Amino acid sequence: MAIVQIVQWDDSINSNDILAWRYVDRKNPAKSEELGNWTQLIVRESQEAVLFRDGQALDLFGPGRHTLSTDNIPILGGLLRLATGGQSAFKASVWFINKVNLLDIKWGTQTPLLLRDPEYQIPVYIRAYGQFGIRISESRQFVIKLAGNKSSLSRSDIENYFKGVILSKMGDMIATYISHKKINIFEINTYLEDMSNEAVEKIRPVFANYGIEPLNFYFGSVNTVDDDEGIKKLKSAMSERASMNIMGYNYQQMRSFDVMEAAAKNEGGSGMLNAGVGLGAGMGMGGAIGQMAAQMGQYINPQQSQQVQQPQPQQQQVQSQANVCPSCGKSIPEGAKFCMFCGARLACSNCGAKLIPGAKFCPQCGNQIQ
């Protein structure tokens, strides 16, 4: 063993991926935990070192050069018996903690999250992903709770350890924004900044329990699953709603129109009028729907419309005198064009409409009466 042993971070280790590393003597790995008295411990900037013996963290060292001896580490005096000469080895291990800021740790849903649209109550699947940043705030706590029998802790270890809890909390947050705050799934991306700010505080207690400080947390995107049947139904429902808003009627009215159209095709229009008035009254729309139905019936069946029109007063007079000659007052057969007693003309020679007594022109076609 060398008279002065130097323990420091191995330059071959990628400090961007490794957050904690247990010292290993590359030349003699078996002697890595046999540290001689007066061992020189070198800790670099953005690092801390923790000295362990029998699983107990004895001391924490910041950046600089440190001498490991019973003089500088009094607790070792009670645990170790050093031989005379000060060159005897003692069993201990050193963990180096990388305290740089890691800002690009990825997170994302491996399987889609099932949520329910707040307006249409249609279940849909969504995916979410983003990234977050952390730094080690409590080196002892970090190594004790996460290292175990491992020789190092990497970025991927952190991703794996916290993946489940992150997805659980982010899934709850997305559900809260969609369900409780009544935000449409297609509008959720406009709230990503608010969600990101809130997410940092939600995960802070979780990370703090392991000596980690979250620096930021970002939602990159919240996306729908294109081949999801729920998404297809939701898009169709939203499209129908937009069309109805443009036309100025609601869903019940649209369904009423569909029923009336079907009735008109099956019964030539008269059934449509009855169905329209009935449906309008049943749905609480009464006169409005009935009036719309009647107006639609006029365009579908003009003859029907003429039949339901109220007769004019003059026409009522002709109908009341249908079987009596207006000239001599004697009864005549129904449909007669001339009175068989006095020869008076009773119907228009052009259209056959009944004539009004004393009229010089036909009330239907305007033909001059001879």
Side-chain angles (χ1 to χ4, degrees):
M1 178 179 297
I3 296 178
V4 177
Q5 185 177 1
I6 297 178
V7 176
Q8 62 181 345
W9 181 277
D10 192 339
D11 290 332
S12 64
I13 297 175
N14 186 354
S15 59
N16 292 325
D17 293 327
I18 302 300
L19 298 178
W21 171 71
R22 185 173 61 189
Y23 169 75
V24 176
D25 188 342
R26 299 296 184 184
K27 296 180 179 180
N28 192 354
K31 300 294 183 178
S32 298
E33 295 186 0
E34 294 183 3
L35 304 180
N37 204 18
W38 312 112
T39 294
Q40 299 299 297
L41 173 63
I42 300 176
V43 183
R44 300 175 183 178
E45 292 290 344
S46 74
Q47 291 181 352
E48 283 184 339
V50 183
L51 181 65
F52 280 84
R53 176 176 168 80
D54 297 331
Q56 182 181 0
L58 301 182
D59 209 345
L60 179 67
F61 301 89
R65 179 185 290 267
H66 307 274
T67 300
L68 303 182
S69 68
T70 55
D71 295 333
N72 295 332
I73 311 175
I75 199 169
L76 284 175
L79 298 174
L80 307 171
R81 292 183 180 179
L82 299 179
T84 59
Q87 297 301 322
S88 297
F90 55 89
K91 291 287 187 179
S93 61
V94 177
W95 274 88
F96 288 92
I97 313 302
N98 187 0
K99 303 196 70 173
V100 298
N101 295 340
L102 296 181
L103 304 177
D104 57 348
I105 300 178
K106 308 297 183 182
W107 70 272
T109 55
Q110 291 184 340
T111 57
L113 303 174
L114 180 61
L115 301 175
R116 187 178 294 274
D117 182 81
E119 182 176 4
Y120 297 91
Q121 297 300 308
I122 299 176
V124 295
Y125 286 96
I126 66 169
R127 296 182 184 273
Y129 68 89
Q131 67 182 37
F132 61 95
I134 62 170
R135 66 180 293 270
I136 309 304
S137 57
E138 296 292 339
S139 299
R140 285 193 183 94
Q141 193 173 0
F142 178 75
V143 176
I144 291 172
K145 291 195 173 184
L146 295 178
N149 295 326
K150 298 172 68 68
S151 60
S152 66
L153 289 170
S154 65
R155 175 200 302 262
S156 60
D157 292 328
I158 300 301
E159 294 176 356
N160 293 331
Y161 289 160
F162 294 97
K163 176 173 58 179
V165 66
I166 287 177
L167 292 182
S168 175
K169 289 190 174 293
M170 295 309 104
D172 292 343
M173 178 180 293
I174 296 173
T176 298
Y177 269 77
I178 291 178
S179 300
H180 297 170
K181 297 187 178 182
K182 307 299 182 183
I183 297 174
N184 187 283
I185 183 60
F186 298 106
E187 300 174 350
I188 192 68
N189 283 325
T190 61
Y191 294 85
L192 294 185
E193 184 176 356
D194 295 338
M195 294 171 62
S196 298
N197 295 334
E198 186 176 338
V200 176
E201 300 307 318
K202 280 188 172 293
I203 65 173
R204 189 179 299 279
V206 177
F207 281 113
N209 191 41
Y210 296 91
I212 302 174
E213 177 188 0
L215 301 176
N216 53 55
F217 196 98
Y218 296 115
F219 279 84
S221 180
V222 178
N223 300 321
T224 60
V225 180
D226 293 336
D227 57 352
D228 178 25
E229 290 298 326
I231 291 296
K232 295 179 181 179
K233 292 180 181 179
L234 182 58
K235 289 182 177 180
S236 177
M238 293 178 64
S239 178
E240 290 184 6
R241 168 66 64 83
S243 298
M244 288 187 291
N245 289 339
I246 294 175
M247 298 298 295
Y249 56 87
N250 59 30
Y251 179 78
Q252 288 182 333
Q253 291 172 327
M254 184 191 71
R255 297 306 301 159
S256 300
F257 295 156
D258 292 341
V259 173
M260 287 187 289
E261 182 179 2
K265 293 180 179 179
N266 294 334
E267 301 182 17
S270 60
M272 183 212 72
L273 296 177
N274 296 331
V277 175
L279 284 172
M283 293 182 181
M285 291 179 284
I289 293 296
Q291 184 178 3
M292 285 190 291
Q295 292 175 353
M296 293 175 62
Q298 293 178 3
Y299 294 101
I300 296 175
N301 193 345
Q303 295 181 354
Q304 184 74 16
S305 175
Q306 293 179 359
Q307 293 176 1
V308 298
Q309 292 179 354
Q310 294 296 327
Q312 299 296 328
Q314 293 180 341
Q315 291 177 327
Q316 292 179 351
Q317 181 179 0
V318 174
Q319 291 174 355
S320 63
Q321 301 176 356
N323 299 324
V324 178
C325 175
S327 179
C328 63
K330 296 183 179 180
S331 299
I332 57 177
E334 179 69 20
K337 296 183 178 181
F338 295 90
C339 176
M340 64 184 64
F341 298 101
C342 65
R345 180 180 292 276
L346 304 176
C348 176
S349 60
N350 183 45
C351 65
K354 293 181 180 180
L355 299 177
I356 299 174
K360 296 183 179 181
F361 297 93
C362 175
Q364 296 296 326
C365 66
N367 184 47
Q368 185 175 4
I369 299 175
Q370 301 294 332

